[in-house]
Amino acid sequence: MGLNCEYYVESDMSLEKAGETIGLEESTGTWTEVETKPNDIEYLTAKVSSVDEENNLVVVEFPDELFEENNIPQILSVVAGNLFGLSSLKNVRLKDISFSEEIAKSFPGPRYGINDIKKIVGAENRPLFGTIIKPKVGLPPKKTAKVAYEAAMGGVDLVKDDETLTSQEFNLIEDRISEVMEELDKAKEETGHETLYACNVTADNKEAVERAKLVEESGGNMVMVDVITSGFSTLKAVSEAVDLPVHVHRAMHAAFTRKRKHGISMVPVSKLVRLAGGSQLHTGSYHGKMHGEKKEITKSKRALRDEWFNHKPALPVASGGIHPGLVAKNLNYYGKNSVIQAGGGIHGHPDGTREGAKAMKQAIIAWKEDISLEEYSKNHRALAKALERWGERAEYDY
Amino acid sequence: MGLNCEYYVESDMSLEKAGETIGLEESTGTWTEVETKPNDIEYLTAKVSSVDEENNLVVVEFPDELFEENNIPQILSVVAGNLFGLSSLKNVRLKDISFSEEIAKSFPGPRYGINDIKKIVGAENRPLFGTIIKPKVGLPPKKTAKVAYEAAMGGVDLVKDDETLTSQEFNLIEDRISEVMEELDKAKEETGHETLYACNVTADNKEAVERAKLVEESGGNMVMVDVITSGFSTLKAVSEAVDLPVHVHRAMHAAFTRKRKHGISMVPVSKLVRLAGGSQLHTGSYHGKMHGEKKEITKSKRALRDEWFNHKPALPVASGGIHPGLVAKNLNYYGKNSVIQAGGGIHGHPDGTREGAKAMKQAIIAWKEDISLEEYSKNHRALAKALERWGERAEYDY
């Protein structure tokens, strides 16, 4: 079986030869023959399993025996290692990884699947929607909590920290978690609706685990990890340490995902996040401020949600420059098993955070009931005011 | 003071405006005005500090208060986070980070500096040279140890695992470390020369720390970490857990370092590795099988070696497709405070590993004494045979 990895390749060699070069570099070969090579290691050699000349794609099969189970850093060192630097290749992009059952099942996967999370917030029949506290940084814990309260009163399912907010002097995590949960509990008493708070525990591995435990002990109901900057190993450790769903941010990903011909696609990243225990992952917006390839977003979303060995499905998250006018454009692609988030698109509402949250929810209901925003906004003031401000276009379209 | 980050940027905006966009996205701004923004957070806003129109460079200054001390994942989430995905930028590359004293000093830095390591192997007046056990994978522990012994008898200062070898079934780390150290101790008894063994402990953070402790308890004298696949947090945890020098491999780096206009350069990676405690880091070969920009290699080498706050200097490592004929070409740039490594270029020697190691050492002495390889090989048989096989060119030049 092994791991079948699909690479887009450009080089002066044939695709077959390029695939062989990758396979040898990452398994039993080197650039010259060596006398230390024994005869019995053919079973470890990665080989080309298919070639698609039209699309410059080659699939390389890496035998299971090359890998350590339950060790993502080691797997990446093989299938996404030196090969990116080979002088003999001009461009190479890891597009997808197809895992063998044995390797895939050696990982824990998400503790909380889509249904588990939907049940918590009572959103069985609709997408979740959430907000990122804005501004990204600078609010003290009490003010953060007030914004969270307003958003919860407006109906959001999820409030999250921004990816750069961890535990700086102006907002220590121990103060923030208790203040925010207090306000969210208050909102729950008033509305009956539980709001998740994705508290960002991103730090060195051990410290992240300690922060996650603090969140759990403080009555928190979700933790958040920046997976690329802190490592898959940190995500997994956090997910194993606490009985909470993990919201996964991908800050830094576009350093290697953005160029279409080189680097790593979000598809394998999505699979690795699911293996490591992420319950929600940012996979991009079909329309917003961040760059995204529609095809890759679609494949990432499937990687998170499709039936896959014994692992629970995870929720794709659309985020970045979203406002009520862009909700339908995104949900048409993501569907109801997703999370749609707005930061500026909620807190920038002319009547403030609470009305901004209401406007987002109205846009979601309009989408669900297949009513145009124009029509629905006639009787929904919050939505009408959001549309007045931002219309139905993304910021960078203006 | 803050962190001054240099970005190469291409966009339809002016450089000034592009720098502002980056600074706002990564500090107090978002794409729209929000009512939750207080008036007193100007001190947290990242600002453009200089612009170089000719080279498309902009420097953004991020205030110290934006960061958590001693937290690399958080720092990366700011200076190397969402900005790579912004639709309004076509290309953006983080070229360098200039750290404030406060942030830089909050990190441990290398336990073992250049002089500490040179003293162990008695190489005060010359570069270190080492070998990667080949084939990369497939040898059992006993054979690995025999190859290590042969290399040590040939005079190498350093033997290392390949980056994909960790603790697979065919070569468990607990067996490998004891077998290899036994053979290296034997070689030391015979030659009086200590050989370092960079044993690859790459795994999830906690497991990597446990493996590093196992190496230390087994009499090992060095550990190795794949920093990009396992995370800076794992490197730091390993470096803090054991009193051993840490050899740092960079598998996967070229997914984001290779494209000249986008991603992250090796220069900030080198600085982060030094902050996190790496004693040696692969920074590329000026001539070999792996792609490398000479200018970036030079800056990376300086980032590791230059005087820098209270941190000990680390050794740059040239590796990948190197053989005796390429030693001078690399050492002319790297100088004597470096490590030069050959895998295939040693084990592929016509007379085997021991002679291959001797040939490398002869090439180093020839370089040091400024004698041409042609001249020096007249009286040095091992070198002569290596030159016969590979000449003085890199594989991909042929």
Side-chain angles (χ1 to χ4, degrees):
Chain A
M1 283 291 300
L3 267 62
N4 279 277
C5 296
E6 186 183 69
Y7 299 96
Y8 170 90
V9 181
E10 285 178 12
S11 78
D12 290 335
M13 299 180 268
S14 70
L15 273 174
E16 182 84 27
K17 179 73 183 155
E20 268 172 32
T21 303
I22 291 171
L24 284 171
E25 170 63 31
E26 299 298 353
S27 65
T28 58
T30 188
W31 60 274
T32 188
E33 287 304 311
V34 295
E35 60 116 31
T36 47
K37 189 167 179 172
N39 299 321
D40 60 353
I41 61 165
E42 196 54 23
Y43 76 102
L44 285 172
T45 301
K47 292 187 178 111
V48 172
S49 60
S50 74
V51 162
D52 171 357
E53 298 280 354
E54 203 173 326
N55 299 299
N56 273 45
L57 298 176
V58 56
V59 177
V60 179
E61 183 179 345
F62 297 87
D64 268 357
E65 291 84 354
L66 273 176
F67 301 101
E68 252 193 86
E69 293 186 0
N70 200 15
N71 185 343
I72 289 176
Q74 193 269 337
I75 291 174
L76 283 174
S77 295
V78 178
V79 305
N82 283 350
L83 63 98
F84 296 113
L86 288 169
S87 294
S88 55
L89 307 178
K90 282 179 205 153
N91 279 300
V92 52
R93 182 172 177 85
L94 174 60
K95 305 252 305 172
D96 202 354
I97 306 175
S98 167
F99 286 83
S100 69
E101 185 171 356
E102 197 173 333
I103 302 286
K105 283 191 169 174
S106 72
F107 289 94
R111 270 181 194 252
Y112 285 76
I114 292 180
N115 292 338
D116 304 321
I117 292 176
K118 288 193 140 190
K119 202 186 268 177
I120 297 173
V121 295
E124 281 86 348
N125 294 309
R126 59 165 178 84
L128 272 70
F129 81 109
T131 193
I132 310 104
I133 304 282
K134 296 283 176 186
K136 292 169 90 92
V137 289
L139 297 180
K142 263 200 194 310
K143 281 193 184 165
T144 304
K146 286 290 174 206
V147 176
Y149 172 79
E150 285 298 309
M153 291 305 292
V156 300
D157 302 301
L158 170 82
V159 168
K160 72 176 274 293
D161 289 332
D162 226 313
E163 75 285 353
T164 62
L165 178 67
T166 52
S167 192
Q168 293 97 318
E169 284 297 318
F170 58 81
N171 196 327
L172 297 173
I173 191 170
E174 57 266 33
D175 300 330
R176 185 167 77 247
I177 182 66
S178 54
E179 297 281 356
V180 170
M181 290 318 296
E182 195 179 309
E183 290 293 327
L184 291 183
D185 287 347
K186 209 171 86 185
K188 190 180 174 185
E189 272 172 39
E190 297 177 56
T191 64
H193 175 235
E194 174 149 358
T195 307
L196 294 163
Y197 170 44
C199 184
N200 187 6
V201 301
T202 298
D204 282 350
N205 194 292
K206 204 175 152 191
E207 177 64 22
V209 166
E210 276 167 30
R211 290 180 185 183
K213 287 182 178 165
L214 172 77
V215 168
E216 191 172 41
E217 287 156 15
S218 308
N221 50 18
M222 185 174 250
V223 287
M224 165 178 161
V225 171
D226 293 344
V227 69
I228 306 298
T229 65
S230 69
F232 290 97
S233 152
T234 299
L235 168 59
K236 186 141 75 75
V238 165
S239 162
E240 289 177 329
V242 292
D243 185 16
L244 296 174
V246 187
H247 179 95
V248 183
H249 197 280
R250 57 177 183 159
M252 196 170 124
H253 77 95
F256 57 79
T257 62
R258 183 160 177 177
K259 298 286 116 181
R260 294 179 68 176
K261 298 180 166 186
H262 189 77
I264 306 172
S265 137
M266 270 305 291
V267 181
V269 172
S270 301
K271 289 185 177 175
L272 292 170
V273 162
R274 187 168 170 191
L275 290 178
S279 292
Q280 312 189 326
L281 170 67
H282 289 237
T283 43
S285 57
Y286 284 92
H287 228 74
K289 72 175 170 174
M290 307 307 271
H291 179 266
E293 290 295 328
K294 288 195 174 41
K295 241 177 156 175
E296 264 189 31
I297 299 180
T298 301
K299 287 183 80 178
S300 303
K301 158 188 102 179
R302 290 196 183 128
L304 292 174
R305 294 197 305 214
D306 283 359
E307 205 166 307
W308 198 41
F309 304 111
N310 54 339
H311 297 306
K312 288 186 175 180
L315 284 160
V317 177
S319 192
I322 288 174
H323 55 70
L326 299 174
V327 162
K329 285 180 184 173
N330 278 284
L331 291 182
N332 286 341
Y333 288 97
Y334 271 118
K336 67 181 180 141
N337 285 326
S338 65
V339 183
I340 189 158
Q341 291 181 170
I346 282 183
H347 311 297
H349 190 280
D351 296 327
T353 296
R354 193 186 298 210
E355 291 302 302
K358 284 185 192 166
M360 275 293 286
K361 183 145 193 181
Q362 288 163 6
I364 289 168
I365 295 169
W367 169 79
K368 211 188 129 189
E369 299 184 356
D370 201 15
I371 305 169
S372 75
L373 287 179
E374 199 190 342
E375 185 62 29
Y376 202 73
S377 64
K378 283 180 188 162
N379 300 309
H380 295 88
R381 195 181 140 77
L383 179 60
K385 288 198 112 177
L387 293 173
E388 241 169 68
R389 170 144 200 205
W390 296 303
E392 299 189 33
R393 287 191 300 170
E395 177 216 19
Y396 68 91
D397 293 341
Y398 286 89
Chain B
M1 282 291 300
L3 267 60
N4 278 277
C5 296
E6 186 184 67
Y7 300 96
Y8 171 91
V9 181
E10 286 178 10
S11 78
D12 291 334
M13 298 180 269
S14 69
L15 274 174
E16 181 83 28
K17 178 77 183 152
E20 268 173 32
T21 303
I22 290 171
L24 285 170
E25 171 63 32
E26 300 298 353
S27 65
T28 57
T30 189
W31 60 275
T32 188
E33 286 304 311
V34 295
E35 60 116 31
T36 46
K37 189 166 179 172
N39 298 320
D40 59 354
I41 60 165
E42 198 51 23
Y43 76 103
L44 285 171
T45 301
K47 293 188 178 108
V48 173
S49 61
S50 74
V51 162
D52 170 356
E53 299 281 353
E54 203 173 325
N55 299 300
N56 272 45
L57 299 175
V58 55
V59 177
V60 179
E61 184 179 346
F62 297 87
D64 268 358
E65 291 84 353
L66 274 176
F67 302 100
E68 251 192 86
E69 292 187 0
N70 200 15
N71 185 341
I72 289 177
Q74 193 269 338
I75 290 174
L76 284 174
S77 296
V78 178
V79 304
N82 283 350
L83 62 99
F84 296 113
L86 288 169
S87 294
S88 54
L89 307 179
K90 283 179 202 152
N91 279 301
V92 52
R93 181 170 178 85
L94 174 60
K95 305 254 303 173
D96 202 354
I97 306 175
S98 167
F99 287 83
S100 69
E101 185 172 354
E102 198 173 332
I103 302 286
K105 284 193 169 172
S106 72
F107 290 93
R111 269 181 195 252
Y112 285 76
I114 293 180
N115 292 337
D116 304 322
I117 292 176
K118 289 195 140 190
K119 203 186 269 178
I120 296 173
V121 294
E124 281 86 349
N125 293 308
R126 59 165 177 85
L128 272 71
F129 81 109
T131 193
I132 311 104
I133 305 280
K134 297 283 175 183
K136 291 168 92 90
V137 290
L139 296 180
K142 262 198 195 310
K143 281 194 186 165
T144 305
K146 287 290 175 209
V147 177
Y149 172 78
E150 285 298 311
M153 291 304 292
V156 301
D157 303 302
L158 169 83
V159 168
K160 71 176 275 290
D161 289 333
D162 227 315
E163 77 285 352
T164 62
L165 179 67
T166 52
S167 192
Q168 293 96 320
E169 284 298 318
F170 58 82
N171 197 328
L172 298 173
I173 192 169
E174 56 267 34
D175 300 331
R176 185 167 76 249
I177 181 66
S178 54
E179 297 282 358
V180 170
M181 290 317 296
E182 195 179 309
E183 290 293 327
L184 291 183
D185 287 346
K186 210 172 86 187
K188 191 182 172 182
E189 272 171 39
E190 297 177 57
T191 64
H193 176 234
E194 174 148 359
T195 307
L196 294 163
Y197 170 43
C199 185
N200 187 6
V201 302
T202 298
D204 282 351
N205 195 292
K206 203 175 154 191
E207 177 65 22
V209 166
E210 276 167 29
R211 290 179 186 184
K213 286 182 178 165
L214 171 77
V215 168
E216 191 173 41
E217 288 157 14
S218 308
N221 51 17
M222 187 176 246
V223 288
M224 165 177 160
V225 171
D226 294 343
V227 68
I228 307 298
T229 65
S230 69
F232 290 96
S233 152
T234 300
L235 167 60
K236 187 141 75 79
V238 165
S239 162
E240 288 177 329
V242 292
D243 185 16
L244 295 174
V246 188
H247 179 97
V248 183
H249 197 281
R250 57 176 184 160
M252 196 170 125
H253 77 96
F256 57 79
T257 62
R258 184 160 175 176
K259 298 286 117 180
R260 294 179 67 177
K261 298 179 167 187
H262 189 77
I264 305 173
S265 137
M266 271 305 290
V267 182
V269 171
S270 302
K271 290 186 177 175
L272 292 170
V273 162
R274 187 168 170 191
L275 290 178
S279 292
Q280 311 189 325
L281 170 67
H282 289 236
T283 43
S285 57
Y286 283 92
H287 228 73
K289 73 176 170 175
M290 307 307 270
H291 180 266
E293 290 295 328
K294 288 194 176 38
K295 240 177 157 175
E296 263 189 32
I297 300 179
T298 301
K299 287 182 81 178
S300 303
K301 161 187 99 178
R302 291 199 182 126
L304 293 174
R305 295 196 306 213
D306 283 359
E307 204 166 307
W308 198 41
F309 304 111
N310 54 337
H311 297 306
K312 288 186 176 181
L315 284 159
V317 178
S319 194
I322 289 174
H323 55 70
L326 299 174
V327 163
K329 285 180 184 173
N330 278 283
L331 292 182
N332 285 342
Y333 288 98
Y334 271 117
K336 67 180 182 143
N337 285 326
S338 64
V339 183
I340 189 158
Q341 291 182 170
I346 281 182
H347 311 296
H349 190 280
D351 296 326
T353 296
R354 193 185 299 208
E355 292 301 303
K358 284 184 191 165
M360 274 294 284
K361 184 145 191 181
Q362 289 163 4
I364 290 167
I365 294 171
W367 169 79
K368 211 187 127 191
E369 299 185 357
D370 201 16
I371 304 170
S372 75
L373 287 178
E374 199 191 340
E375 186 62 29
Y376 203 73
S377 65
K378 284 180 186 160
N379 300 309
H380 294 88
R381 196 182 138 77
L383 179 60
K385 287 197 115 177
L387 293 174
E388 242 170 64
R389 171 144 201 207
W390 296 303
E392 298 188 34
R393 287 192 298 171
E395 177 215 20
Y396 69 92
D397 292 341
Y398 286 88

